[in-house]
Amino acid sequence: MGFTSKIQKPIIRWLEDNRGLVVLFFCLPASFVFDLILRFKVWVQRSLSNVPETHQQRVAEIQKQVARWNKEDSRQRKLLCTSRPNWLSLSLTFFPKDNCHKVPINLYNILELDEKNLTVKVEPMVTVGEITKYLIPKGYTLAVTLEIADATLGGLAMGVGMTTYSHKVGLYQEAIRSYEVILGDGSLVTATRDNDLSDLYYALPWSHGSLGFLTALDLDIVPVKPYVHMRYIPVKGQKKYCDTIRELSGANDKDRELDDFIEATIYSKDEAVVMVGNFADAPPIVHWGKINNLARWFKPWFYCHVKTFLEKGESEEYIPLRQYLLRHNRSIFWVVEDMIPFGNEPWFRYLFGWLLPPKPAFLKFTTTPGIRAMTFTKQVFQDIVLPINKLEEQINISEKLFDTYPVLVYPCRVYDHGDHMGQLRKPRPDQMVPGANYGMFNDLGVYGVPGPVKRKEKYDAVKKMRAMEKFTRDVGGYPFLYADIFMTRQEFEEMFDLNLYEKVRRKYHAEGAFPHLFDKVRPEIDVFEVGKQYIDPL
Ligand SMILES: Cc1cc2nc3c(=O)[nH]c(=O)nc-3n(C[C@H](O)[C@H](O)[C@H](O)COP(=O)(O)OP(=O)(O)OC[C@H]3O[C@@H](n4cnc5c(N)ncnc54)[C@H](O)[C@@H]3O)c2cc1C
Ligand SMILES: *[C@@H]1O[C@H](CO)[C@@H](O)[C@H](O)[C@H]1NC(C)=O
Ligand SMILES: *[C@@H]1O[C@H](CO)[C@@H](O)[C@H](O)[C@H]1NC(C)=O
Ligand SMILES: *[C@@H]1O[C@H](CO)[C@@H](O)[C@H](O)[C@H]1NC(C)=O
């Protein structure tokens, strides 16, 4: 392997040890310029197709392309996928799109706001940043949104999304009223919970574009107020903070009066800060000191700010809504710390804070196969949906396998839809909230460089990841599929229920037209082979 040769090893080692400087003097400026160019391109692209009235016309254009593909020789044609380049998507894998027949989906418009029914109709390429900018001044936000401005509403619908509001409403898919989809035969259909295509409706989430091309979505919105009143509750002791999170999220009591937002950041096995937020009007003048404009470039990173309450004790603040929603944006949760260890120092924030975050698209664009192979073995990046009654075990096993903090917890309902669970399985009886039709789960977010890698010890990433996946299967959880998976196909099918999915694939002409879900989401590299080469420290 060239990477570990005698000359390269010390160079890589030096670059690793001084990565903060490399990132500051190369990565950030390049990322900034890259982003400017990208924005200009997107602006041009969107201006050209930015006409909500022509939605039907543009969809018909895509249908035509699928129809043309259908006329090709079925033994020679490639499977269908969207032409969106891999590096633009937030998924961590690099699905080899060149092996597919690529169809451009130029659908960037917000189509219609329905204030009576509280829904908004959008095209799939609208981003979280754009929809919040559009909705918040009108007094709304999506019922389930995301912290990352670059995520697309269609990408979230075909994968999964969850947020700090999900303890009230569940996963992103619960907030979708209808999907408009082009099927493998070129026909255009709309699937809702209770029309003839409800089977398709329930199979589309977690399908990752393997059932059809999404062309529009109806999403639930909720009325908002201009601020979020945040209460920071530091808690010492594992059982105590886990109990606090369960209590506040309503896991013990379906009739509990719920706060609008809940999140916990765990800083060590025994310390966490639980945050509850509620929509609020602007505070009276005497409390203006409590307003925190935390998105400003010179402000401390959010998780660092939150950590200070472990010392300072319980506290409260008012955060402007959009700034609350994008609170993790500048430090990409705590991922940027591993790139720029001094990034939260005041001198850096005041001078260069405005350059953050490095754009995910830039990072992906510049990822060579060599870097990709090395990074997946030296980092962990996982969001996993797990039952909240196992929260202590989740944290213990995460520490045992990855030894990295902070760890993120967002509580989330998983509804029991009976025979309509789609790819998820019914929550188990002990996971259900007593008397309710949902179980309480949580997203466990583990992002960062594992302890052993930091300490330059041996670290077998594949073994650790597979152990985490086994735990996840055993307790009835699911990793988000935008991140790398290390399961065999058999293990994948033990975790996800593909019965409805396979039926829907046959019934709606996806078989032979779109890649299978497993092929779509599994890493494009042979993780088992690559994993073996990078167990030893550099
Ligand atoms: C730093 C980071 C933080 C994150 N934080 C969170 C978080 O807090 N909460 C959370 O829920 N998630 C989080 N995610 C994950 C995020 O939800 C996923 O990356 C999600 O897939 C959205 O990304 P995207 O819009 O780039 O979608 P893509 O990755 O582009 O798309 C997702 C899938 O849908 C398919 N697809 C997209 N558009 C269409 C279409 N029109 N027709 C058919 N198929 C389509 C794609 O082929 C792909 O398989 C995070 C990801 C990152 C990188
Ligand atoms: C609300 O939605 C229903 C069904 O989805 C629809 O029939 C009705 O016209 C909508 N109401 C308004 C005001 O648009
Ligand atoms: C959030 O970060 C992204 C890059 O990841 C950037 O494009 C976007 O402008 C940021 N949004 C805000 C509101 O800071
Ligand atoms: C988690 O770890 C702590 C301390 O190491 C231990 O006391 C506790 O019993 C563990 N909890 C579970 C559920 O395994």
Side-chain angles (χ1 to χ4, degrees), residues 48-59:
L48 291 178
S49 63
N50 207 350
V51 252
E53 308 75 46
T54 62
H55 174 70
Q56 284 171 350
Q57 214 175 307
R58 281 174 292 122
V59 169

Side-chain angles (χ1 to χ4, degrees), residues 67-105:
R68 227 177 287 140
W69 173 87
N70 267 285
K71 295 211 183 85
E72 287 178 20
D73 182 349
S74 63
R75 282 158 307 173
Q76 287 184 3
R77 66 190 179 195
K78 300 175 183 174
L79 298 177
L80 295 166
C81 73
T82 71
S83 69
R84 187 173 191 228
N86 261 313
W87 51 268
L88 264 180
S89 116
L90 288 177
S91 301
L92 300 181
T93 47
F94 289 75
F95 176 74
K97 290 207 165 182
D98 285 338
N99 300 343
C100 281
H101 180 102
K102 291 183 264 190
V103 177
I105 310 280

Side-chain angles (χ1 to χ4, degrees), residues 382-386 394 442-446 468 472 477-480:
Q382 291 282 325
D383 279 292
I384 314 174
V385 183
L386 291 162
Q394 297 174 29
N442 65 279
D443 174 20
L444 184 78
V446 190
M468 193 68 198
T472 303
Y478 317 90
F480 283 34

Side-chain angles (χ1 to χ4, degrees), residues 112 114 116-117 177:
E112 198 186 329
D114 180 345
K116 285 224 181 73
N117 275 339
R177 298 276 179 101

